Amino acid sequence: MKVSSAVSGHWSKPCPVVQCPTLGRSRFVQGRYAQHMVSHAFDTDSASLVFEDDGGERIQVLSADYGFRSGAGRLYQDGYGGVPKSIVELSISNFKKELIALRRSVRFDEYKQISEMYEDASWFRRLGFSVGNSIREAFVRLDTWLEDENILRELKLPKNPAIDSLTDEQIAVLDKVKQLRLDDAKVSRREKEREDKEGKVQAPMIIRLVYNILCWTLDVLYEGRPIQRFWFLETVARMPYFSFISMLHLYESLGWWRAGAEVRKVHFAEEWNELHHLQIMESLGGDQLWVDRFMAEHAAIFYYWVLIIMYSISPSSSYAFSELVENHAVDTYSVFAEDNEDILREIPPPLVALNYYKSGDLYLFDQLQAGWTGQEPRRPSCNNLYDVFANIRDDEVEHVKTMHALKEGTLELDQSRFKDANKKLGSMAIKTLESFDFDE
């Protein structure tokens, strides 16, 4: 028996994680310092950690963060809630880190692990691997020359310093994560079954065409790599809400449209939800490869501006496209959770998932639940990675409901303050000035 010290809603024990020295430091994310002594039975050499939620439930936590940005780049870890440095300092720091990662990825051929997954690859995929390897070899020659000319420092880092720092137990968990698979054909069948039953999402032809191209691209690029695929999707999935909030804020600032303030609140709750999905995938190692980070982050910026333009032209079309994407996410996560249930139940949940679903102020989580009006608040379990993915699937269902309601103009917003004000006024009415938007 080993006793670890934990804080309600967070932990205070130094945690062996990839690139992250110490977590928590007796700090609860909501500002409360109600400390508890938590007992948990495990071997002396175990890296197991215990999370205690606000209700006193104790849950074993994923003991390593396998993501590239673990530590100061993760919610609820070092530096959480702090103020960023200047844009110059941040850009230089990130460039240095990513440059080393890029050099290591080509010099040690991190992409070989992808090509080795496809023993019977199609000619199209083999062609892609051949072209990609030629580009990699060109980068290797360039990097070596820059080293010889003392323009770049010699790359002395080990092949995989992150994995080298893990315990045998943590490596065993990572091996289980690598066993997870997604059947793209089954996802397509699930989507067809849903559309046959519920009907297709009403969207312009061009939007459906772009959606089909997106799905095909993801199937090709991320076949056999579901966690990386999910990380890419969640990186991009936040962009619609950033775009929607930006446009609504612009309209309010210009005085054109101020009735969307409640919608902004819903969109922020949705973005906060997607941020936690993203960081869950990061903690599972979804962002480890440099090429995945490069594609996802640049696609996200591009997607943001596309949606800005789309929303300015037709908000309902923007919501229709998001409804298509969120429906696809529901189908994908459903198939993934069903097919990998046994393995997922053997893996503890990441800290970021527990903090989101099980602790502190759940106001933003409740704002996400567009279809739960008048019902008991949704309080999902989060005892293992299967519960986490089931929760993510159900979150995506809520996104679908919200996008559909916004597209149709039927979203039920919080009108309690409006109704209370009308009750106090009784039979009186507020006098409004004559509008000048009539045709002259």
Side-chain angles (χ1 to χ4, degrees):
M1 180 72 70
K2 195 172 185 178
V3 178
S4 64
S5 176
V7 181
S8 177
H10 210 4
W11 60 35
S12 61
K13 179 183 176 181
C15 170
V17 297
V18 180
Q19 304 174 13
C20 179
T22 305
L23 306 188
R25 293 179 180 154
S26 301
R27 179 167 58 93
F28 176 43
V29 295
Q30 298 297 331
R32 295 194 292 112
Y33 289 84
Q35 190 167 1
H36 302 277
M37 295 303 294
V38 181
S39 299
H40 183 62
F42 52 83
D43 297 333
T44 304
D45 297 331
S46 173
S48 297
L49 295 163
V50 171
F51 175 96
E52 182 173 359
D53 67 12
D54 294 341
E57 182 181 3
R58 298 169 184 177
I59 304 169
Q60 182 179 339
V61 180
L62 188 69
S63 62
D65 187 321
Y66 303 102
F68 178 76
R69 290 191 178 86
S70 62
R74 179 84 68 251
L75 287 171
Y76 316 120
Q77 292 190 8
D78 289 352
Y80 173 68
V83 177
K85 298 178 182 178
S86 71
I87 188 172
V88 175
E89 292 176 291
L90 287 173
S91 60
I92 292 175
S93 174
N94 186 71
F95 177 80
K96 290 179 178 179
K97 188 175 182 179
E98 290 289 0
L99 178 60
I100 294 174
L102 171 59
R103 296 179 65 196
R104 183 190 296 124
S105 71
V106 297
R107 292 281 288 273
F108 297 127
D109 195 4
E110 291 183 350
Y111 312 107
K112 187 177 181 180
Q113 60 179 290
I114 300 177
S115 60
E116 289 178 342
M117 295 174 57
Y118 306 100
E119 297 179 357
D120 301 320
S122 65
W123 69 268
F124 180 76
R125 193 180 293 278
R126 289 198 303 270
L127 177 62
F129 289 149
S130 178
V131 173
N133 192 56
S134 297
I135 296 174
R136 184 194 67 81
E137 290 176 350
F139 270 103
V140 170
R141 289 192 294 270
L142 175 62
D143 188 74
T144 304
W145 179 80
L146 291 172
E147 269 191 3
D148 294 340
E149 296 297 320
N150 294 320
I151 298 175
L152 292 178
R153 294 181 180 179
E154 183 181 355
L155 192 63
K156 294 182 178 180
L157 294 173
K159 183 173 182 179
N160 200 332
I163 300 301
D164 292 344
S165 67
L166 298 178
T167 66
D168 291 342
E169 180 181 338
Q170 292 161 353
I171 291 175
V173 172
L174 182 58
D175 288 340
K176 290 180 180 178
V177 172
K178 291 178 178 179
Q179 294 174 27
L180 300 171
R181 291 292 179 264
L182 176 65
D183 189 332
D184 295 327
K186 188 177 289 187
V187 173
S188 297
R189 290 196 297 271
R190 180 67 60 87
E191 182 173 21
K192 187 178 184 305
E193 291 170 359
R194 172 178 52 78
E195 290 181 339
D196 290 342
K197 180 180 179 181
E198 302 175 5
K200 290 186 176 182
V201 174
Q202 298 301 312
M205 185 180 298
I206 183 63
I207 287 181
R208 186 166 287 277
L209 176 62
V210 173
Y211 164 74
N212 290 332
I213 293 174
L214 172 64
C215 293
W216 178 83
T217 303
L218 291 173
D219 289 347
V220 171
L221 293 178
Y222 289 99
E223 182 181 357
R225 300 194 300 140
I227 300 301
Q228 290 76 13
R229 175 190 179 125
F230 296 152
W231 180 78
F232 181 98
L233 281 172
E234 298 298 348
T235 300
V236 175
R238 300 173 65 198
M239 294 305 109
Y241 309 115
F242 285 144
S243 300
F244 302 157
I245 291 171
S246 296
M247 291 303 298
L248 289 169
H249 197 288
L250 175 64
Y251 292 160
E252 289 179 35
S253 300
L254 295 174
W256 294 358
W257 176 259
R258 293 179 177 174
E262 286 282 346
V263 178
R264 277 197 296 109
K265 181 173 66 174
V266 174
H267 286 329
F268 182 79
E270 290 178 303
E271 187 280 319
W272 187 247
N273 175 261
E274 299 287 16
L275 171 61
H276 284 77
H277 293 179
L278 170 66
Q279 301 231 341
I280 288 169
M281 302 310 163
E282 286 186 1
S283 66
L284 297 173
D287 67 337
Q288 271 292 339
L289 286 184
W290 181 88
V291 68
D292 290 332
R293 295 194 301 277
F294 181 84
M295 289 193 302
E297 290 159 5
H298 286 79
I301 298 301
F302 175 76
Y303 188 39
Y304 170 83
W305 287 107
V306 168
L307 286 168
I308 287 286
I309 296 172
M310 186 185 298
Y311 196 90
S312 65
I313 297 172
S314 174
S316 61
S317 295
S318 297
Y319 290 132
F321 185 74
S322 292
E323 185 183 359
L324 282 169
V325 173
E326 298 296 357
N327 264 311
H328 181 73
V330 173
D331 297 331
T332 303
Y333 283 122
S334 297
V335 170
F336 177 79
E338 293 167 7
D339 289 353
N340 297 277
E341 180 174 356
D342 292 340
I343 298 176
L344 291 171
R345 288 193 182 279
E346 296 176 357
I347 303 174
L351 173 66
V352 63
L354 288 163
N355 268 301
Y356 182 66
Y357 291 111
K358 299 294 289 184
S359 73
D361 185 358
L362 294 175
Y363 170 78
L364 285 175
F365 180 71
D366 289 339
Q367 286 295 310
L368 176 71
Q369 320 304 319
W372 288 70
T373 305
Q375 302 180 32
E376 288 295 320
R378 178 181 159 216
R379 294 295 179 263
S381 60
C382 195
N383 297 316
N384 49 59
L385 203 55
Y386 175 80
D387 288 345
V388 172
F389 276 96
N391 294 341
I392 293 175
R393 174 203 62 206
D394 294 343
D395 292 345
E396 302 297 352
V397 171
E398 297 302 323
H399 288 301
V400 170
K401 294 176 183 177
T402 303
M403 292 301 101
H404 178 77
L406 285 166
K407 183 188 71 175
E408 301 295 331
T410 59
L411 182 66
E412 294 184 12
L413 300 172
D414 182 6
Q415 300 290 340
S416 57
R417 286 171 292 183
F418 173 77
K419 293 176 180 177
D420 288 344
N422 280 343
K423 287 180 181 178
K424 293 177 181 178
L425 288 172
S427 60
M428 295 185 295
I430 298 294
K431 174 66 177 177
T432 58
L433 299 181
E434 183 178 359
S435 174
F436 289 92
D437 61 357
F438 54 83
D439 294 330
E440 295 188 17

